[in-house]
Amino acid sequence: MSNAPQQQASAHDAARSDRILILDYGSQFTQLIARRIREQHVYCEIHPGTTDLDAVRDWKPSGIILSGGPSSVLESGAPGISPEVVDLGVPVLGICYGLQLLAHELGGVVEKADDREYGRAILKIEREDVLLADLPGDAGSERVVWMSHGDSVLRLPPDFVVLGTSENSPFAAVRHADRPIFGLQFHPEVHHSDGGETMLANFVVNICGCRPSWTMEAFVEETTRAVAEQIGGGRVVCGLSGGVDSSVAAALVHRAIGEQLTCIFVDNGLLRLGEREEVKRIFGESLGVPLVTVDAADRFVNALAGVDDPERKRRIIGHTFIEIFEEEARKLGGAEFLVQGTLYPDVIESVSVKGPSATIKTHHNVGGLPERMQFSLVEPLRELFKDEVREVGRRLDLPKEAIGRHPFPGPGLAIRIIGDVTRERLDTLRRADVIVIEEIRAAGLYDELWQAFAVFLPVQSVGVMGDERTYESAIALRCVTSVDAMTADWARLPGDILATISSRIINEVQGINRVVYDISSKPPATIEWE
């Protein structure tokens, strides 16, 4: 195989203004900062806190935000920042650890706090400033904010002034007297901080001067041009799964290059019941996108035999997908490009763009690809969160059933079976999963949930059916609410719905005698079990 460069089409590769760079130091809330900024229709990206000065300068941000993080600036080897970053001539906002980092690097003093300040606190605004202007409501000079820090600023750097205080933080909000350098000890990005969204909007719009140019209409137009330019006259294949991400990616690329694109749907034996027929109906019939269907169930299931480690599962599936795409591309006359529906959360979780944060799990579109493959990648949605992708789908007039579907993982049911993947377990899980979706739809809750699905647990327990003892496996139900999958909460489903789902699964799915409900949030858990 050739070692072709893996390039992605991007609407934001060229130099441009009106964008914010977030330097991440490992906070669990960093993605929320990005969400809040994009809600202002301003583009932003999260880069590691370790990003060097030249890369920051070359990105040409309109403003820079330093995120929070779990480290202490007093520790040896704690992530730092080049002092020259604040001399680039663009506004800087430090949040939590970001504030402490600014104080530490610019001549202030940071110390271990006598009492860790975590949770609800009262911010008292001591000085009028554009950062704290026009806060909603009538709270006057006091606001509820959310704190989470173990260190405190003992002394501000020269020329810094206090904007706000709290009971345990005399420097809860600060700024440089003359330069656009700001710091907040609390987290304005979280829902619990009263007026936090307005503070971030003040920084992005009023201080950095960003215009609200990040719209899905603009994204579609810019990305269509970027994709057409990247591909030129080349042939392209798209790994179409039928999920929201790959469906929107396929439609967007098809808009850009038309008949140069051929979609390949691989039936890997790890799909939901009826998935193959649904994809053929939507894309082959409704949209007229060229579609090739490959039956590769035996190939995938055999490759997964005896594999119980989730990271190995993901890599095996990713590598096998690429092998099949390359084989099909040769049949089509040698496609040079591969389209994938990779999203921004996939990138963040898979390749640890967050600097000191750890890789959570490998997304097969990002970290599960072989080092050497024949394709250059086209990932037109790589900059988007899921809700933004759905909006793009609406702009492209995709059918509601295509863009309103719950997310389905690229590795399919293989990561909803804990442990070894077998045909018997796949069949069992499919039958249980159909029941979950049927009952959720019947209750009118499908569109209210981010995801609802079943997980096969290879744990057998004692039961009784028809006065006879059983010793069979269990199914876990996972139903969550979310906006962008970066955080999620378990859905408080009515008890009668859970009872109906449990009763149907136990009665209709052979080999299952117990159903449990997952009440874990993200974090600390992830949405998928593997």
Side-chain angles (χ1 to χ4, degrees), residues 46 100 140 161 200 420:
I46 302 170
Q100 296 159 13
V161 297
L200 287 173
D420 192 14

Side-chain angles (χ1 to χ4, degrees), residues 265-271 276 293-298 300 321 430:
F265 175 75
V266 178
D267 185 347
N268 58 11
L270 309 173
L271 303 173
R276 180 170 176 169
T293 302
V294 180
D295 188 348
D298 289 343
F300 278 87
F321 266 121
R430 283 192 191 93

Side-chain angles (χ1 to χ4, degrees), residues 255-274:
R255 169 180 168 142
I257 62 170
E259 296 300 313
Q260 292 170 245
L261 169 70
T262 299
C263 289
I264 299 175
F265 175 75
V266 178
D267 185 347
N268 58 11
L270 309 173
L271 303 173
R272 292 169 288 198
L273 201 64

